[in-house]
Amino acid sequence: MKRVMLIVAVALGMLVSLQAEGMGQGMHKGMGHGKMMPKNFRMVPMGKAQILQKGPAKMYCPKCGMTLPMFYRTNHAAKVNGKMEQFCSMHCLVEEIKSGKKVTDIQVVDNSTFKFIPAQKAWYVVGSSKPATMSKVSKYAFGTKEAAEAFAKKFGGKVMPFDAVLKMAEAAYDKEAAMIAKKQAMMAKKGEQIYKAKCKPVDKKFATAAEAKVYIKVHNLCGDLRGKPLQAVGLYLQSIGK
């Protein structure tokens, strides 16, 4: 039991620098009911988060597996080959664009209303003091230039239109993807330890961490595993399924 507690503690504290689920900040208990305010600036209560995609894994980013409401302020969405997908960040959106699939109808969360708006109409604050998601440079979108300028005045950063921000994210993608892959590999190793200590073995391959996390929860493979330890196990199961 002590070994299990130690493994989970290590998983909870690691990879803070990327400031992403399993690689950064967590949440207060009770957030699932919208009763407590988040520690993480990027998080909103469940009741305020729009989830545009459908299916069993709809609460998770299809690219990295992170929980969407935990990073809602940086969420993007788009139709991918005609099917709506929702991403935790612009980085994961760019990953989908680079996959060669047809990506249309790109949307982003307006940080003034917490509603999705067309990304082409949004104004971004790039490089503010607020945390980034899957990137070293933060990107928060607003429905009006005035709102973006007010945010930048308070927290720093540069106000930019969507096309310029997307171009910046695409240029930084390869370097950031390599950094993220390294961090995720480290986390997957911790996930392997947690999986072997706490989970029932499963003979199934998973294409994504999101798919693995849903399977873990539906089949109760690892007891009451959640948050960063769940993300770690999801990444591990994805890694052995490749």
Side-chain angles (χ1 to χ4, degrees), residues 63-232:
K63 305 312 294 183
C64 66
M66 298 201 301
T67 305
L68 294 170
M70 288 183 66
F71 304 89
Y72 186 72
R73 286 177 178 262
T74 58
N75 274 201
H76 287 68
K79 286 183 179 178
V80 180
N81 290 344
K83 182 181 178 181
M84 185 61 72
E85 290 187 2
Q86 188 165 333
F87 309 96
C88 68
S89 61
M90 181 173 278
H91 175 90
C92 288
L93 168 67
V94 170
E95 181 178 346
E96 196 67 288
I97 292 172
K98 286 181 173 288
S99 72
K101 296 177 182 178
K102 184 179 180 181
V103 178
T104 60
D105 189 23
I106 299 175
Q107 301 179 47
V108 65
V109 170
D110 177 355
N111 274 263
S112 295
T113 64
F114 294 149
K115 302 295 183 183
F116 276 94
I117 61 173
Q120 285 285 353
K121 296 182 178 180
W123 289 91
Y124 285 73
V125 178
V126 178
S128 73
S129 61
K130 292 302 181 182
T133 304
M134 302 297 281
S135 173
K136 288 186 174 181
V137 182
S138 63
K139 305 170 187 71
Y140 291 90
F142 297 85
T144 68
K145 191 174 184 179
E146 291 76 16
E149 288 172 342
F151 185 88
K153 184 176 181 180
K154 187 173 183 180
F155 300 111
K158 182 178 180 181
V159 176
M160 300 172 63
F162 169 73
D163 287 341
V165 181
L166 180 62
K167 185 176 181 180
M168 177 186 295
E170 288 176 334
Y173 176 80
D174 289 342
K175 184 176 181 180
E176 292 189 339
M179 175 183 65
I180 291 167
K182 184 177 180 180
K183 298 293 185 179
Q184 287 179 332
M186 293 170 60
M187 192 171 187
K189 289 182 180 180
K190 299 299 180 181
E192 180 180 10
Q193 294 177 308
I194 297 169
Y195 174 76
K196 290 179 177 179
K198 292 199 66 175
C199 304
K200 302 171 188 175
V202 56
D203 185 19
K204 180 176 173 62
K205 294 186 181 298
F206 301 95
T208 67
E211 181 185 340
K213 288 167 72 173
V214 169
Y215 191 91
I216 289 167
K217 294 179 73 173
V218 169
H219 295 275
N220 195 29
L221 293 184
C222 308
D224 190 30
L225 201 66
R226 63 181 68 186
K228 297 169 190 176
L230 176 61
Q231 176 73 3

